[in-house]
Amino acid sequence: MTMHEPLHPGEIVKDALIEGAGLNVTEAASKLGISRTALSRLLNGHAGISPEMALRLSKLLGTSIEVWVNIQAQYDIWKISKIANKIKVKPLGKAA
């Protein structure tokens, strides 16, 4: 089954913080305790959601860490599935 292209996790964070909470990038970065540059990289799709960022987002937005980790994982799975046929690995034989 082919998975449709998911949004980059930064788009979901942008929806939650900028559009949803009405913050600008500088305010959101300050509330998260990170640099404006770090948040901009995420929002613009140049970085992903690290476990630490997932924790920061969960604390700020009152969600679980797993929500953010899962969003990133689903995106990563989709992305790697696009090149899966290029990765050659010989399966292990059956154990004796």
Side-chain angles (χ1 to χ4, degrees):
M1 183 166 91
T2 305
M3 184 189 295
H4 69 283
E5 181 176 353
L7 292 173
H8 184 277
E11 287 292 323
I12 297 167
V13 173
K14 186 185 293 184
D15 286 347
L17 296 179
I18 309 304
E19 282 121 39
L23 301 172
N24 64 39
V25 176
T26 302
E27 293 166 336
S30 176
K31 289 185 180 299
L32 287 166
I34 61 173
S35 71
R36 185 183 191 290
T37 301
L39 183 57
S40 289
R41 287 184 43 74
L42 172 60
L43 300 181
N44 292 314
H46 301 295
I49 298 174
S50 67
E52 180 181 324
M53 179 61 80
L55 175 62
R56 289 174 185 276
L57 289 165
S58 72
K59 286 184 171 198
L60 182 63
L61 297 170
T63 62
S64 70
I65 297 171
E66 291 83 5
V67 166
W68 301 104
V69 169
N70 288 336
I71 288 169
Q72 184 64 52
Q74 289 299 311
Y75 182 79
D76 291 343
I77 290 167
W78 172 81
K79 194 170 170 185
I80 198 66
S81 71
K82 303 303 278 178
I83 62 162
N85 62 342
K86 295 178 183 177
I87 298 173
K88 305 297 181 199
V89 175
K90 184 176 178 183
L92 291 175
K94 288 189 174 185

